[in-house]
Structure formats: structure tokens, C-alpha cells
Amino acid sequence: MAARTEDAGPEMSSPNPRPAELSNRGIFDGFEGYRTATRKEYVSALKTGLVALDANVLLDLYRYGEQGRHDLIAALRAIGDRLWVSHHAMAEFWRNRESVLKDRGGTVQLVKTVNSSKDSIVKAIEFWGKQRSHPDETVEELTAEVTTSLDKIKDEVEELSNEETELWARDTSKDEVLQALGEILAGNVGPPLSEEDYAAALTEAKRRGDEQIPPGYLDAKKPEPDSAGDFLVWEQLLLEATRRKLDVLLITRDAKDDWVRRESGEIRGPRMELIDELRLRTGQQFYLRTPAQLLELAQESLAVHVSSESVEDAARISDRVDVLWRQGRELYRDTANFLDNSKSLQEPRWNTETATRFLVELGWLDRLAGDATKLAVLTGGTVGHEVLMRLGITPEPLILRQIAAAIEEQAKRMVQEGEAPVEALDIVEPVRIKQPKGNSVLVAYKIRKEFLFDLLQAVKEPDSQMSSSPAVKVELNDFLKRLKRLEWDSNDDASES
């Protein structure tokens, strides 16, 4: 946003103001974050409030099918001048637009994987047929069945991305989404922060990241300015809400824990800190909805026709292609198991070499996650309170979730690159303890036993130890000593016998 005006409210971090006089209050006064917003309040915010769009909402217009895109654009158009996009969100849109257009939701990578799997499996079947001297008709039936199954998966994926969009990437004048957004958002995109305010915002984002103040602290380990992205969007939104003196309805697909409050895994609303901060800065209310929820509200309150297919499209867009990709990989794996005598298939396997790469790259991605994983491998396979304490970290569920997220991210990268089996996507599993009231508390993540042996061998490799913390090196040294004593005891027993 632009430099602050006189009515822009207090600075970025505002302490709770001391009331002029003490008086009795209601049960929600000062506890607004606990109250569940009503349907009526969401409708009111949509019809009269400032409706802000996150960058992922704009980018998802390229990922939706034609009907979903049409309906969301119609809903946005109906909001009118109260629709708004922060300067930083628009910058993120432009920075990521071409990459999304060239591979919306990983479609290109998925199609390449399916085609590669199909070619490998067909060659394997032909090799198997010759080795076993099966009739040509049998081999042809098997290859036809595999080809049909994989082509069906590929066609379904491509149906979700059925428009030619590479031309849109090359020529903005041909981009139908940009044409619509150019009309809808004319005069509705916020200006950038001044140089002075931008520098102050980066400093404040770092402080909030260090203190785990939402939003954006989960990105704190990214390099600047990416680490400050969510806070820049938030700060610019606060400034605009102060200027307009309107309630805020933020539309976003971001469901990370530094934006939303969860209870027993269920999203209950925005983080209470965000509700309180916006109320203190602006005197207004803060609401959060997804694109799918926006479509439902728009149909009800803005007289916009929205198909049920569009709502479903918006709700599933983040994970639909991933599900299909897993289906393709599972089919490939199952066929490979059937053709166990074939030498043509090169299905990635989990072994010491794979585990070593996993640990090395995990350490690059997230130092704490790398050290925690190595220490867990050496002490039984559980990333929990004991491991965190050994590393000098206060044990908290949030820290555990961040470590698990880094582990899963590294596994996903290696699977996508064909360097690890698809089973590695589930390399860790949560350990929860049920409370008397029925809620469960996350206490640890356990490395699945089928990955543990090779990780244990990998921990001893020099490459894995290059970036390890002192705690890991001490534990490894103790482990190797225990192993040596076991070898001596075994040799003594053998000599006595």
C-alpha cells in the first residue's frame, strides 16, 4: 500500500490499548475470535464489506474448468468496487502466472509420468512374453489393457486442462482471464508501500516470524522477501481496511496454521490473533472464506448463477490432480509387481543410496528437520519431545508439524523426480494421545519401519553428517560405540563355542 495517511491507524504492531475506564462487558468482548461467524454475517461482509482476493484465487482461475472459471469471474464482477487486491498479491500473481499456465496443477509433469510408465510397461510385457514364450495374442491383450487404463487417466487429467493456454502465456492480449480481470479490477488494485514502509514491513515480518505471530511465520525460513509475503499482503489489507472503514472478507485457498484456527483438525475460522489485530487497527470485523465458499455465498446473495460443478471444481482443485497422479503411480507399481521377471522396469526403490540423498537434501531444505530426523533414526525412529529437547528446541506441536512438513516435502520432491518410490510419500505418521475430553494431542511423528533400516545406514555416511548438529554427531558416536561392543560380544561368544 501507499505511505500511511493520517487516518491509517496505529503502526504495524499495536499493543492492546488501555481502556479509558473499566466497565462490565459481554462474554465475547475481548474474545471475538472464539465466536463462530453466522451465515448472515458472511453475507453482510460479501454485500457491504471489503472483499480482498489472495494471489492463489487469481491463479486458480487458470486451473478451473471453463464453467468454474466463468462462474467465479461472474461472482467477482458482481462484487463491484468493493473487490480489492493488494499490491503484493498482484505481484505474486504476475510472478507465478506463466509457470501456472505452462503447467497448471502439475498437469504436464503428470502426463509425462503416465506416458513414461506406459512405454516402460509395454516394453516389459513384450520382454516377459518372449521370455515365457506366450502367444502374441496374450501379450497384445495385456498391453492393450495397460494402454487403455493409462490413457484413461491421462485423458481425465487433460480434460481438467482442456484449453490451450501456452498462447496465453506468450501473448497477454489473448489471455481470457487477464481480459476479464483487467475489467473487473480496474482501479481496485492497491498501490505499493513506500520504500520506507516496505523496509519497515520486512523488519516487522522478521520479528513476527521469530515470535511466531500470524500470518506468515510458517514461511519465516524462506529467503527475503519471500519470507515476508503473507505479512505484506496482511499489512496492505489492514491499511486499506482502515482507509475504507469496512469489514473485511478475505478470499484465499491458504489453509496453513498461520492463517486459520483448527480444533481437532477442523478449521473453525481465522486465527484469533488476526481477528484481534484487524479489530484493533480498524475497528472492523475480519472474515475468511475459500473460493468454493465464495461461490456459494454469491449464488445466495448476489443473484449470480453458480453451477454445483463450479463449487466442486473450486473445492477439489488443490488435490484432484495429485490423486490422479497417485493412481497412475499405483497402477505402474502393481503392474511392475506382476511382471517381476522383467528387467525393463526401473521403478525407484528405497535403499541406502536413496536414504542418503534424502537426508542430505532434507538438511539443505530445513536444518532442524534434518537434524531431528537423523537423531530420531539413531534413537528408535520417533521425532518427539526427547529429540527436540536434545536439539535445544522447546517441544511444541507446531514445531513437530513444521518438521513433518519438511520431511514430507523432501519425500514428495524425490518421488516426483522418480528418485524414490511412491510409498515414501507416507514416510512419517503422526502419534497422538487422546485426552479425557475426547480431543487428541499431537506428541510425535514416527518414521515408518520400512524406511528406518536404510536411513540408519545412511546416517553413518559422511555426506549425511556434513551438516549435522553436535547433538546428532554425539549420538552417532555413541551408537557406533554400542555397535562395536555388540560385535565384540558376538565374537567372544563365537570363540567360546
Side-chain angles (χ1 to χ4, degrees), residues 6-247:
E6 291 183 0
D7 65 347
E11 290 300 314
M12 296 166 197
S13 55
S14 302
N16 293 334
R18 182 176 179 82
E21 59 182 49
L22 297 176
S23 60
N24 294 326
R25 304 190 295 177
I27 65 170
F28 286 116
D29 294 330
F31 304 97
E32 288 82 0
Y34 287 99
R35 189 174 66 82
T36 304
T38 65
R39 188 80 171 179
K40 182 178 179 180
E41 287 172 320
Y42 284 127
V43 169
S44 175
L46 180 61
K47 295 179 73 171
T48 64
L50 175 65
V51 182
L53 304 180
D54 201 0
N56 56 56
V57 179
L58 303 178
L59 291 169
D60 279 353
L61 285 168
Y62 294 116
R63 297 184 174 109
Y64 295 156
E66 185 175 359
Q67 184 64 49
R69 181 161 56 243
H70 175 273
D71 287 351
L72 182 55
I73 287 174
L76 298 180
R77 183 176 283 113
I79 296 170
D81 290 340
R82 291 176 299 99
L83 188 68
W84 184 80
V85 178
S86 69
H87 178 270
H88 190 77
M90 184 54 65
E92 288 185 352
F93 166 78
W94 280 112
R95 187 165 61 247
N96 293 290
R97 171 181 165 272
E98 287 203 18
S99 62
V100 172
L101 278 169
K102 291 176 180 177
D103 189 8
R104 297 179 294 164
T107 304
V108 172
Q109 182 60 44
L110 174 58
V111 170
K112 285 181 179 178
T113 300
V114 172
N115 286 335
S116 175
S117 299
K118 181 173 68 175
D119 292 342
S120 296
I121 293 170
V122 167
K123 290 178 182 177
I125 292 173
E126 292 173 348
F127 177 84
W128 170 80
K130 291 177 181 178
Q131 290 289 96
R132 300 292 183 87
S133 300
H134 284 294
D136 290 344
E137 293 80 5
T138 302
V139 174
E140 290 172 2
E141 287 175 5
L142 286 172
T143 55
E145 184 175 346
V146 168
T147 300
T148 300
S149 298
L150 290 174
D151 283 346
K152 182 179 179 181
I153 292 174
K154 186 180 73 172
D155 291 344
E156 189 173 352
V157 170
E158 291 178 334
E159 187 178 342
L160 298 175
S161 309
N162 53 12
E163 293 86 12
E164 291 294 333
T165 55
E166 286 200 17
L167 178 61
W168 293 6
R170 294 194 301 271
D171 188 346
T172 57
S173 67
K174 300 291 195 301
D175 186 337
E176 297 172 9
V177 170
L178 285 183
Q179 292 173 13
L181 290 179
E183 175 188 343
I184 295 169
L185 294 176
N188 292 348
V189 178
L193 292 167
S194 67
E195 288 187 15
E196 180 181 354
D197 286 346
Y198 180 75
L202 292 183
T203 301
E204 174 66 2
K206 185 178 187 312
R207 181 190 73 82
R208 292 169 70 121
D210 292 341
E211 298 179 17
Q212 297 192 354
I213 300 173
Y217 63 79
L218 290 178
D219 296 331
K221 294 183 179 179
K222 293 181 179 179
E224 273 193 6
D226 292 345
S227 59
D230 282 3
F231 175 71
L232 290 171
V233 170
W234 177 243
E235 174 62 18
Q236 292 174 357
L237 177 57
L238 290 173
L239 291 171
E240 187 68 12
T242 302
R243 185 180 73 82
R244 296 206 196 191
K245 296 180 170 57
L246 295 174
D247 288 343

